[in-house]
Structure formats: structure tokens, C-alpha cells
């Protein structure tokens, strides 16, 4: 066994995973590594050092995405691959994305001159929610690093010629807790979000993404590797796999999601000197809005819609002042877009009534609408084949949560896989997945990545523009 | 007309008042001068410079209270006044305050050796709520400065011998928006709050009072003047005087108030991946608590109780995370203490039900209980006489809001007066009182202060311990 075989072992994976879980560790086994904090920098530094030590070349792009690149296609094969590249990536130049922006952080039409072929990207994100779990995102990046080493070993052992190169990516700010919107780095890469707009986004303290990237030394200038396909493995964050004792989930489609920006504008007054009848208390009206958002799910079938208010800021937030303003963000998600739209319409009506009853202004704006999107059937079948080869069980499902793979699926064919989550909990410290389940996932990811490097899924683009699939196709 | 007569004129008062309103001025005619901010420092610097320029000696005590002192009693009269002093202030040493603390910021049993007699204190506070009004507090301090000059002039012109000295006070942190509890500086002076405990209080950013005082250069070391009586003039922050077209209000008693610290502890989870049935959303439960606090007033007669939640902080406050915690402060006030107690009991019961229904923990703690207190009848009558002498109208009322005078009324006999507030609004930018109403208030305050310096109200203590009056006496 050579040195790299030794370091791609199950034991080495578990050692690396549990080491990374100590960075930003919280008292109750979680982690707190919001994007671009000192703790995020530490995990980034770890990834950079580990990747360089294991023969990867590390690139950082302008939005802070990190790519650990393995050039599997030798220089002398570059000429042969140029043709494949031109054919496979020409769609990117005509891709009309939902937001109508063009990718500014990437150069999709052309491989970097030094690259021998486009890259299969695999990965996820190392940032976390505040007091988040240690598996969400980090598992997918570390699984990606070990899967990539195994793919390299397999090609070296088999003597086969890889069609594409392979890179492991740590996407910037998937969580969106500090800088909204979430899934930021992969969306910029995929051309869904504008780079400059995202660099100007500020956190609640007024620090911009651009300033925060510079502060931790990750405002990159590298041209990122050009993707030909994408694969990601993630914890399920639901109970389906656990309940059905299934090893792996493969995602057929992402849920339709949208947010509502709700601004409740009352009038500030003295809590101790203003008659109740004279008040225009923004918080009392906001409380009714919070309950309306929670209860709108009852208008539909059980669990057909999930809703929440996660961000909710009171001004001036003084114990003896009647609040003048509450600014909140509501989140609506369903497998069925018409349910989200009906819930939104119902809420807008109810909120207008609350505003009238309290004689105050409540502004409601739609934002961050993410269409339901199908993942390519060829990718689902590829995962099913890989799982069968490993002697494991698999089922198809949809994802309620957003993921980097959902953004990447706009740009290139993507495969999204899940491993089980104990109790289905996530975004909290008691999020848990067993070592055995994680190791099964690494094996399956390595198998899928090997097929992609070999050229699988590239043919999805053959003679057709890859623009993902709209909800209309999914529902048809 | 000498120089000081000129500078105590109505025009000079209005000029000074409207100048101070420019410090920390907001877009909509309010001010934002929370305690110990750069804007608070600017108003403090203004007061110090103005007072020194007009012959006052300025002292700053350990909690940051500022005293502009006029020594009206000449040195050769000190012996005569020592006796009055000993008699009048002996109660202070036996005063058992409601919180059982002893005054640490003051030295009430003894006048500073250099002082010729105890002081009549008049004043209010220069700090404001965030986006607060320009009248609340600042009016009382600036009115105090001009009233003090007039008293000095009157004694000089009449040739009469003052019994006491006179000082104008700017109390630290009356508002409590940044550092809780409110009415902090006067409560420390009056011995109701412990100095060291208050110096250790931190704002939401973790900055302590002690650090913030040092940062703006107002961590004082002076022994404050020793009070013999206290008078304050303030905007009403209600509609009674305006509705009845009355010039001046005199306060008979303060309302009973208490706060509830309510900590809603749910469980953090992913908004997009957690089934509604699996959530323990702290914000949804908190919204029900906010509504319960607002609606508990309906259990009593109209306007017999006022309630509010002014402070309400959500954690982790991320758009795609189900909130794990909401920490809020509720405020209950009534003229009748039994109503506050009944409301509190009702809320505790309702909150326990909300916690059970959501399977989460909600901790509720009583704090900042302020007993209903009577102001001395002799002071009320003194104000009525002064108003009559000025040819103005007056009525008695109670104060729903807390004031520095309420704290001072624990320590020495206090007179609290109001001028009308347009529309009764306060703690907001559109707070307003006319120049004419302010000028009438300055005249009345000067008249009352003159009587106090002459020795009025000191006799309230003759042969009796002054401990204010408990609610039992008021209700008897």
C-alpha cells in the first residue's frame, strides 16, 4: 500500500472529520463557524494544508470558494480533450439563468490555459449556522477530499485514461446566517448571483462580504476550475432514510422555496406613559404576523408546506419603549410551487388585515425565490448503480433544504446524495450521523466521482443545452 | 441688568435649549443620545462648559451623575447651618430603602467639609432613548440651570439669607435603553441601587457602565453635594394637561411598576428540512407571550393597567434557522399595585400553558419592582402656591412613567412637576412641547427652588425619619 492509499483509508477519513469538528466546537458537540469568522478561517486553513500535503493544487476565487484540484488528465491528452471540452461547455455561454445574471466569478466558456481538461467538482461547505451541527456541509467537503484521493488511486491502479480532472470544493457561505442570501458561493459560481452584488452584502454589524474575505485572507484572485459535472454528499436533515433503514438517498428534485421580507412599521412611544389606546406597537402586530406564518401550513395537507420566521429584529429594543419597527424574514417551502404561492397570497391578505387593525404599515416583499428543479435522471441512475455495486440500499427523495448542488444543477448536471441523520435534526448541536453511515457515503461518492471523471453525465449535454429542468417539466 | 440677569432670560433659555437639541439630532426632529455614547458626552461637555461659564462649580460622582453647584450660603453662615444640617440629614443614616442597600456613591450623613450647607437639588437627565424626543429629560436639566441662576439673582437682589445651597443635576442613565435598569444614577445616589453592581452592568455589546464612563471621561471621583430636598420639572408624556388646557401638573404619586424577564427556550433546527411537527420554535411561543402581555390589560378596567414588551431578542436570528431562544422584557404598570400583581399572576399562568403546548421551557422572573410612592403633600402645596403666584393654572396627577424624582423621593422630600406634551407622545421623535409652555415651567421651577433654598420642605423631616411613603399609606 502506498502513502496515498494509507491516507485515504476509512480510519484517516474519520480522524480528519473528527478533527475538523473540534474547530469552533461548542459545549454541546456542535460547531459555530459562520462564514468568514475566525473559526471559518481555521477550517479553510486546515483544508488548504491538508490538500497541499496530499498533492492537490488549491485555488481561491473572488467570492472565496476554495477548490482543491487534482489534474488527472495528463498534458499529452489535452489536445484530445479540447474537443470534448468545447462541445460539453458551449451551452454555458447560452445558459439563461433564472436571475438573468451572468457568471462573473467564473470563466465557464474556456478552461484555464494550464488546465488539461474541465473538472468534475465534488464537495459542499465548511461554514456552519451559529451553534450548528458538525456534519452539515463539513461532511461533504471532507468526504470529497477522501473520495478524490481514492479516485486518483483507482485510475492509477487501473491504468485507464481519465476524461476529466477532479476538484474538491468548499463553497463560500452556504448557510447564509451571517450574510444573506444563503448558498452564496455556489450561486455566484453558477452565474445565479452577481459577484459584485454579493461582495457588497453586509452582516448585521455592517461588515461587507468583501471586507470579511480580505480580513481572513480569502479574497481570492484565482480563476476557478471549469466544471463539467458536480456531485455532493450531505446529511439528509430529515427522517426518511433512518425510518426506512436505507443507506443512501439520491435527490430527484429540490423543493420550491421563497422568502418574504416583512417590515412592520409602528410608532415608538413610552411604555410607561402612553395609554394603550394611543399605541402603534410594532411588536404586537409582528407577533400576529409570526403566528399567521406558523399557522398558514394548516391550510394545506399535513407537511405539504413548511414555514418559519428565523430572523426577527426589534427596534429600538429598549425595555421601556414601545417598539417602532420589527423587521423579519419568513421562509416558505413546498414540493408543490402552487402551495407556496397560495400560502404567500393568504399571508399577504392576513398581514394587510393586521396592519389595518393596528393602524400601522407593514411592507411585504417577495425575495430569494428558488424554483423547483429536477436533478438529471442519468445522475440519479448513476448513483443507484454505484450504491448497488457497493451492496448498499438506496431510495429516491426530494430535498426540502437548499444545497450548493441545487445551484450547481443550474450550470452542469449534478448528483446529490444523502446519508441518514439521527432523529432528522439539523442546524443544531445535536445533529448526528454515525461513523458507519459516513464511511458508506465516502465509498459511494468515490464510486460516483470515478464514473463522472470517466466521462459519465457529460453526454447529458451532448447536442443539447443544459439548463437544468424547470418545475413544469417535473410536474408534467 | 447685570450679565447674569441677561443670561437667565427667556431668550437665553430658549437659545440654550434649542442648541442642546442639535446634539445627536435625528432626521425627524428627535435626538439619539443614549447613556455614555459620544452624543451623551457632547451634552455633558456642553453642560460643564455652560455651568462653569455661569459661575457654577461642577462635580461628577462615581456613577457619572453631574452636579452644577451654586454655594449660596456664605462661609460665615456655615456654623449656623451646621445645626440645621445635622437635624435635617440624620434620617438618612437610618433610612431603610426598599432594596435594603446603602448609598455607596454618596456620603449622605455629612456635608463635604468645604460645603457651607446641604443642597437643594433640581434637575433631570440629558440622556435619551434611541431615536427619542428632544424634551424628555433635557428640558428639566436646562430649566434647572436657568432657574438656579434666577434664584441666585433673586437672593442677591432681596438681600435675604439662603438657608441651603443649590445644585443642578444631570442624572446618569435615566432612560435605561442601553444599560438596564433605568433611573440608574439617581437610584444609586438615593441608595436604592448598589454602586458596584451598577458599574458592572453591561450593554448588549458587553461594555460595562464602568468602561463606558471611563471611555467618555465621566468616571467621576467627586463627593456629590448632599441633598436636603429635590425638585424636577419634566414634560407630562400624557394628554391630561393638554386636554384640560392646564399649565402645570404636580405629581401626587408614582404608579406601581414591575418588569418580567421572560426567557423562551426552544430548540434550534433547519427551517427547510425540519417537519413542522418536529419543531420547538421559540419565536412562535414567544409571539403568543407577546400577545398575552398585550391582552392582559383587557382583564381590568380601561387604562387601569398598561403593559408592553419593549426588549425582545431572537437567537440565532438566521433566516433559515428555527429560533432556539427569545429573551424578552415585559413591563406592567398601574396606579393600583394589586392590578399589577393580578396581571402578573395571570400572565405566569398563561405562559406556563404556552410552554406546555409547545413542549419548551419558558422561565419567568420578576424584577425592577418599583413601589407606588406618594410625594409629600407639603411639596404639592408648595408647587400650587408657586403656580398661583405666577398667575398660572395647575392640577394634581399621578405619573405612569418612572422619573429620577421618584428615586430621589426615597431619600429626601421631592417636588415633581409637569408641563404639557402635545398629543401626549414621548420616547419618540415627534415628542413636542411649546416654547411658551417650557418658559412657564422655568418660572415655576425657579419659584419652587427659591422656596426650597429658603428652607421650605426641610421641616418635613423635623423630628421624623423621611423614608417617603409606602403604597399602604397612599391607599389608606
Amino acid at each position: 500500500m502506498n502513502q496515498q492509499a494509507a491516507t485515504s483509508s476509512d480510519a484517516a477519513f474519520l480522524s480528519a472529520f473528527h478533527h475538523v469538528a473540534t474547530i469552533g466546537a461548542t459545549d454541546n458537540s456542535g460547531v459555530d463557524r459562520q462564514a468568514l469568522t475566525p473559526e471559518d478561517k481555521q477550517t479553510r486553513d486546515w483544508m488548504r494544508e491538508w490538500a497541499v500535503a496530499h498533492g492537490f493544487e488549491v485555488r481561491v476565487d473572488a467570492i472565496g470558494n476554495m477548490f482543491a484540484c487534482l489534474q488527472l488528465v495528463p498534458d499529452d491528452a489535452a489536445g484530445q480533450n479540447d474537443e470534448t471540452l468545447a462541445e460539453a461547455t458551449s451551452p454555458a455561454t447560452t445558459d439563461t439563468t433564472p436571475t438573468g445574471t451572468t457568471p462573473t466569478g467564473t470563466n465557464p466558456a474556456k478552461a484555464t490555459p494550464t488546465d488539461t481538461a474541465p473538472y468534475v467538482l465534488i464537495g459542499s461547505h465548511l461554514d456552519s449556522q451559529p451553534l450548528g451541527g458538525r456534519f452539515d456541509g463539513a461532511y461533504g467537503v471532507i468526504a470529497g477530499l477522501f473520495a478524490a484521493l481514492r479516485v486518483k488511486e483507482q485510475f492509477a491502479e487501473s491504468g485507464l485514461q481519465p476524461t476529466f480532472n477532479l476538484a474538491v470544493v468548499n463553497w463560500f457561505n452556504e448557510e447564509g446566517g451571517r450574510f444573506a442570501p444563503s448558498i452564496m458561493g455556489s450561486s455566484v459560481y453558477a452565474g445565479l448571483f452577481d459577484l459584485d452584488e454579493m461582495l457588497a452584502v453586509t452582516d448585521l454589524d455592517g461588515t461587507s462580504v468583501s471586507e470579511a474575505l480580505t480580513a481572513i485572507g480569502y479574497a481570492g484572485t484565482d480563476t476557478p476550475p471549469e466544471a463539467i459535472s458536480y456531485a455532493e454528499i450531505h446529511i439528509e436533515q430529515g427522517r426518511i432514510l433512518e425510518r426506512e433503514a436505507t443507506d443512501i438517498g439520491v435527490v430527484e428534485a429540490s423543493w420550491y422555496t421563497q422568502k418574504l421580507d416583512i417590515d412592520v412599521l409602528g410608532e415608538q412611544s413610552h411604555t410607561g406613559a402612553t395609554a394603550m389606546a394611543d399605541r402603534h406597537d410594532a411588536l404586537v402586530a409582528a407577533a400576529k404576523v409570526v403566528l399567521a406564518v406558523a399557522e398558514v401550513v394548516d391550510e394545506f395537507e399535513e407537511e405539504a408546506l413548511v414555514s418559519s420566521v428565523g430572523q426577527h429584529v426589534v427596534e429600538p429594543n429598549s425595555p421601556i419603549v414601545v417598539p417602532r419597527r420589527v423587521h423579519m424574514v419568513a421562509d416558505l417551502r413546498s414540493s408543490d410551487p402552487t402551495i407556496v404561492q397560495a400560502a404567500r397570497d393568504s399571508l399577504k391578505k392576513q398581514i394587510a388585515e393586521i396592519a389595518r387593525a393596528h393602524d400601522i404599515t407593514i411592507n411585504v416583499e417577495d425575495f430569494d425565490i428558488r424554483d423547483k428543479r429536477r436533478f438529471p435522471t442519468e445522475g440519479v441512475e448513476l448513483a443507484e448503480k454505484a450504491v448497488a455495486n457497493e451492496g448498499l440500499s438506496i431510495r429516491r427523495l426530494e430535498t426540502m433544504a437548499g444545497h450548493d448542488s441545487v445551484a450547481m444543477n443550474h450550470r452542469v448536471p449534478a448528483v446529490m446524495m444523502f446519508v441518514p441523520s439521527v432523529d432528522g435534526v439539523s442546524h443544531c448541536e445535536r445533529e448526528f450521523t454515525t461513523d458507519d453511515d459516513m464511511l458508506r457515503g465516502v465509498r459511494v461518492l468515490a464510486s460516483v466521482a470515478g464514473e463522472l471523471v470517466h466521462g459519465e453525465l457529460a453526454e447529458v449535454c451532448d447536442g443539447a443545452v443544459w439548463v437544468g429542468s424547470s418545475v413544469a417539466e417535473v410536474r408534467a
Side-chain angles (χ1 to χ4, degrees), chain A:
Chain A
M1 197 182 273
N2 62 28
Q3 170 63 15
Q4 288 194 335
T7 56
S8 74
S9 70
D10 284 356
F13 165 79
L14 291 175
S15 167
F17 178 83
H18 292 296
H19 167 72
V20 172
T22 66
I23 303 173
T26 62
D27 289 344
N28 299 306
S29 306
V31 294
D32 200 329
R33 296 193 305 239
Q34 290 195 77
L36 309 186
T37 55
E39 292 75 21
D40 186 33
K41 173 180 160 45
Q42 280 180 61
T43 51
R44 287 167 169 268
D45 290 349
W46 173 86
M47 175 174 168
R48 185 201 292 272
E49 283 165 31
W50 189 97
V52 169
H54 289 78
F56 293 76
E57 172 219 348
V58 175
R59 302 183 196 170
V60 180
D61 72 9
I63 195 69
N65 296 318
M66 295 178 70
F67 302 87
C69 304
L70 286 180
Q71 191 159 299
L72 301 180
V73 178
D75 281 338
D76 53 12
Q80 170 191 335
N81 277 288
D82 273 354
E83 205 178 326
T84 312
L85 167 60
E87 190 184 332
T89 62
S90 58
T93 56
T94 55
D95 181 358
T96 304
T97 64
T99 55
T101 60
T102 54
T104 48
T106 66
N107 184 7
K110 249 180 141 182
T112 305
T114 56
D115 283 338
T116 52
Y119 282 76
V120 170
L121 294 188
I122 60 177
S124 191
H125 59 94
L126 290 172
D127 72 316
S128 86
Q129 288 290 336
L131 291 194
R134 61 195 194 275
F135 300 87
D136 182 348
Y139 168 61
V141 175
I142 302 165
L145 291 169
F146 282 79
L149 276 193
R150 292 183 193 181
V151 168
K152 184 180 175 185
E153 289 159 16
Q154 284 158 8
F155 274 97
E157 284 167 20
S158 69
L160 288 173
Q161 168 72 48
T163 308
F164 301 114
N165 292 314
L166 179 59
V168 182
V169 56
N170 167 30
W171 298 112
F172 164 63
N173 189 32
E174 195 269 353
E175 295 291 2
R178 180 178 176 194
F179 298 104
S182 56
I183 315 187
M184 192 178 278
S186 51
S187 294
V188 167
Y189 180 92
L192 304 176
F193 293 168
D194 181 73
L195 172 66
D196 292 331
E197 274 178 37
M198 292 303 117
L199 288 172
V201 164
T202 54
D203 65 12
L204 291 177
D205 292 335
T207 304
S208 71
V209 166
S210 175
E211 291 162 349
L213 279 168
T214 301
I216 67 159
Y218 278 89
T221 55
D222 299 327
T223 301
E226 184 226 332
I228 185 73
S229 58
Y230 180 74
E232 179 170 352
I233 195 154
H234 202 278
I235 57 167
E236 181 193 353
Q237 308 178 288
R239 297 167 175 270
I240 296 174
L241 298 178
E242 181 186 53
R243 196 167 54 213
E244 303 190 356
T246 301
D247 299 314
I248 301 289
V250 59
V251 177
E252 287 188 292
S254 56
W255 276 28
Y256 183 94
T257 70
Q258 88 146 81
K259 294 196 177 68
L260 288 170
D261 181 289
I262 304 172
D263 208 7
V264 184
L265 302 167
E267 186 180 59
Q268 181 167 326
S269 59
H270 190 303
T271 62
T274 314
M276 294 302 282
D278 292 339
R279 299 183 183 193
H280 303 282
D281 188 327
L283 181 56
V284 173
K288 292 182 180 175
V289 174
V290 168
L291 294 180
V293 171
E295 289 161 10
V296 75
V297 303
D298 299 334
E299 297 176 21
F300 307 94
E301 273 183 45
E302 204 175 322
E303 300 299 340
L305 173 74
V306 296
S307 70
S308 58
V309 174
Q311 197 165 53
H312 178 288
V313 178
V314 177
E315 294 177 14
N317 204 35
S318 173
I320 57 168
V321 180
V322 174
R324 76 168 168 274
R325 181 182 181 209
V326 177
H327 182 229
M328 68 178 104
V329 175
D331 182 88
L332 302 173
R333 305 182 187 221
S334 175
S335 174
D336 182 350
T338 63
I339 289 182
V340 169
Q341 286 148 9
R344 169 216 181 259
D345 294 346
S346 171
L347 282 174
K348 286 199 69 155
K349 220 172 285 174
Q350 292 180 60
I351 289 169
E353 281 163 25
I354 292 167
R356 248 193 312 279
H358 287 261
D359 190 18
I360 62 181
T361 300
I362 308 182
N363 296 321
V364 183
E365 301 289 342
D366 298 297
F367 79 108
D368 203 8
I369 296 170
R370 304 193 189 199
D371 208 1
K372 175 159 186 157
R373 290 185 71 83
R374 179 176 69 80
F375 284 83
T377 310
E378 293 85 346
V380 171
E381 290 167 353
L382 184 66
E384 287 170 336
K385 206 175 111 189
V387 167
N389 287 343
E390 295 288 337
L392 302 174
S393 56
I394 188 167
R395 68 157 282 162
R396 299 181 181 196
L397 33 67
E398 293 186 341
T399 176
M400 292 157 78
H403 288 293
D404 293 310
S405 62
V406 176
M408 282 300 288
N409 192 39
H410 282 265
R411 173 121 237 109
V412 293
V415 182
M416 183 69 187
M417 295 173 291
F418 287 158
V419 290
S421 293
V422 172
D423 286 348
V425 296
S426 73
H427 282 192
C428 70
E429 294 170 296
R430 72 182 181 91
E431 182 181 282
F432 189 69
T433 292
T434 65
D435 285 352
D436 283 348
D437 280 333
M438 285 201 287
L439 291 173
R440 288 185 194 103
V442 177
R443 278 158 52 201
V444 170
L445 180 64
S447 175
V448 168
E451 296 297 325
L452 295 176
V453 166
H454 192 65
E456 288 288 335
L457 278 201
E459 75 275 14
V460 169
C461 303
D462 272 5
V465 175
W466 174 254
V467 293
S469 303
S470 77
V471 62
E473 296 172 64
V474 174
R475 307 188 70 219

